[in-house]
Amino acid sequence: MEIYNSIPELFRANEAYMNIIDRVSVRRYTDRTLSDEQVSAILHAAMSAPSGVNRQPWEFIVIDDRKLLDQLADALPYAKMAAQAPAAIVVCGNKERFLEGVDDNLWEQDLSAASENILLAAHAIGLGGVWTCLYPHEERIAPVRSILNIPDNIIPFNLIPIGCPEHSHAPMNKWHQERVHHNRF
């Protein structure tokens, strides 16, 4: 496959590396439910993400209630797949653990790292997911806050539907040598 042509053979044999290369966004799922062990594994990976000054500003809401998933799908323009997913995770930021001053927005990077870990962990255990954006769009944050009864000090950052992929998908080739610069732009 063309996507692998630029990857040295040595790295193609590395399972962790290839998990990153092979991950795709999954928007269609089978009706198979997630086990508690799968959810726990995914959340352990999420909480292993780096965070500024180790503040770990994240909170996670695991949703497996069909009614709530359907309400979220109805309320969010880019999360319609939640209506088919057996579960979703809302990654949230807890303002009480944000840094203050010049680094007060590092929580966004911290939650992004945790979110990518969720997607990679799901892929590694045979599941799939897709990152759907909530923050900074108040028209997306407000319905999630209301549906899930999220307090004001918690910011819903994204919603990640997760499940067993309905179909296998080949990863896209996102490698662009011309976007790599050495020492200077």
Side-chain angles (χ1 to χ4, degrees), residues 69-140:
L69 289 165
D70 290 345
Q71 285 179 313
L72 291 166
D74 287 343
L76 300 169
Y78 303 105
K80 300 303 180 196
M81 71 290 294
Q84 186 193 11
I89 298 173
V90 177
V91 179
C92 301
N94 186 329
K95 291 180 183 180
E96 294 170 8
R97 292 196 298 274
F98 289 3
L99 291 169
E100 294 180 17
V102 69
D103 292 327
D104 66 352
N105 64 350
L106 285 182
W107 68 274
E108 297 171 28
Q109 296 175 41
D110 299 342
L111 270 57
S112 293
S115 298
E116 182 66 7
N117 279 9
I118 287 170
L119 293 167
L120 290 171
H123 180 65
I125 63 175
L127 301 172
V130 61
W131 178 324
T132 68
C133 175
L134 300 176
Y135 180 85
H137 306 283
E138 188 55 39
E139 71 278 6
R140 298 180 199 169

